[in-house]
């Protein structure tokens, strides 16, 4: 699966699981070209704003995102950075 396809899949999963009002998934894999460990998937940055984050700590918000894409970790996703915002 290409990095672009993986980014689209991340977006689809987060839309379905967290119903965000704002969502941006940026493929940053090109910044890690030649990184030996990157063979296990791409590097992505997510900005997401969701009512599901209301009242949660920043760590709890990140945990919701990680749980949603967990099946993709290690194979399609090597690294995931994120900015999770409440409504």
């Amino acid at each position: 699966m290409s990095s672009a396809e993986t980014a689209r899949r991340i977006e689809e999963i987060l839309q379905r699981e967290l119903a965000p009002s704002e969502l941006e998934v940026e493929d940053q894999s090109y910044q890690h070209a030649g990184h030996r460990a990157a063979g296990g998937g791409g590097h992505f940055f997510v900005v997401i704003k969701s009512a599901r984050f209301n009242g949660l700590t920043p760590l709890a918000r990140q945990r919701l995102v990680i749980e949603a894409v967990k099946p993709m970790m290690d194979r399609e996703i090597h690294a995931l950075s994120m900015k999770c915002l409440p409504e």
Side-chain angles (χ1 to χ4, degrees):
M1 180 178 296
S2 74
S3 290
E5 291 170 328
T6 300
R8 280 193 297 277
R9 187 163 173 229
I10 292 168
E11 187 171 343
E12 289 169 4
I13 290 169
L14 294 178
Q15 286 284 356
R16 181 180 68 241
E17 298 295 321
L18 300 175
S21 59
E22 295 178 30
L23 177 61
E24 181 182 334
V25 179
E26 181 183 343
D27 178 5
Q28 296 182 336
S29 299
Y30 68 93
Q31 295 176 353
H32 303 276
H35 177 209
R36 244 180 26 202
H43 291 69
F44 300 92
F45 177 68
V46 172
V47 177
I48 181 169
K49 184 175 185 179
S50 174
R52 292 273 317 269
F53 298 152
N54 291 352
L56 299 179
T57 66
L59 181 58
R61 297 174 201 161
Q62 291 179 353
R63 285 182 176 152
L64 283 177
V65 172
I66 293 295
E67 189 60 34
V69 299
K70 191 174 187 174
M72 299 178 69
M73 298 302 287
D74 295 329
R75 289 193 193 131
E76 292 103 339
I77 301 171
H78 173 72
L80 183 64
S81 300
M82 63 191 93
K83 183 175 183 180
C84 304
L85 305 167
E87 288 286 318

